[in-house]
């Protein structure tokens, strides 16, 4: 597996790091973890600086369709910061388009520390739902 994540319900943060080739199975396992943790409203940090993928266009599309299906009827979606190198844009452009469709703040960064600073900023955190109101 080349995707690693930490889910911190106290901080309302789902942090994902890529390290190597991300497979279709890896991506689905990550989505399963988010679903299992009911972490849709969490802030999300996706660090793809050291990642790549050999997924086919069809597999990328399937991940996108799955994510799009999860956007509906799940309540608020937390802000998303995506970090990746410019040369990886072609690989993830379709998925970024799907993720951008959700009603939530989203930004793309070239440096992880800037992404985390944005996620920790007052303007982002002020709009997070209180944990006791999620799913109520």
């Amino acid at each position: 597996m080349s995707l690693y994540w930490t889910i911190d319900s106290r901080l309302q943060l789902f942090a994902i790091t890529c390290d190597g080739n991300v497979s279709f199975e890896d991506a689905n396992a990550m989505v399963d973890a988010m679903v299992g943790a009911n972490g849709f409203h969490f802030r999300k940090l996706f660090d793809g600086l050291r990642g790549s993928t050999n997924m086919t266009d069809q597999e990328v599309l399937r991940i996108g369709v799955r994510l799009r299906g999860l956007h509906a009827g799940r309540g608020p979606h937390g802000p998303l910061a995506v970090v990746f190198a410019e040369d990886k844009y072609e690989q993830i452009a379709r998925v970024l388009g799907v993720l951008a469709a959700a009603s939530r703040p989203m930004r793309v960064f070239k440096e992880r520390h800037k992404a985390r600073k944005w996620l920790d900023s007052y303007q982002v955190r002020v709009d997070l739902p209180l944990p006791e109101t999620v799913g109520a």
Side-chain angles (χ1 to χ4, degrees), residues 37-101:
N38 194 25
F40 296 98
H41 66 285
F42 289 1
R43 296 171 297 143
K44 293 166 199 71
L45 173 61
F46 185 90
D47 180 352
L49 285 173
R50 294 178 21 174
S52 61
T53 187
N54 291 330
M55 280 191 268
T56 66
D57 288 345
Q58 184 66 23
E59 288 172 326
V60 171
L61 181 60
R62 287 174 57 196
I63 295 293
V65 167
R66 181 173 183 206
L67 290 171
R68 182 73 160 228
L70 291 171
H71 289 163
R74 295 276 183 173
H77 287 267
L80 171 64
V82 179
V83 185
F84 67 94
E86 286 183 51
D87 66 333
K88 303 288 191 228
Y89 184 79
E90 289 293 320
Q91 290 181 325
I92 65 168
R94 287 187 183 131
V95 174
L96 283 177
V98 170
L99 294 172

Side-chain angles (χ1 to χ4, degrees), residues 91-111:
Q91 290 181 325
I92 65 168
R94 287 187 183 131
V95 174
L96 283 177
V98 170
L99 294 172
S103 178
R104 60 140 160 250
M106 179 181 154
R107 287 200 183 166
V108 177
F109 297 87
K110 296 177 189 173
E111 299 173 52

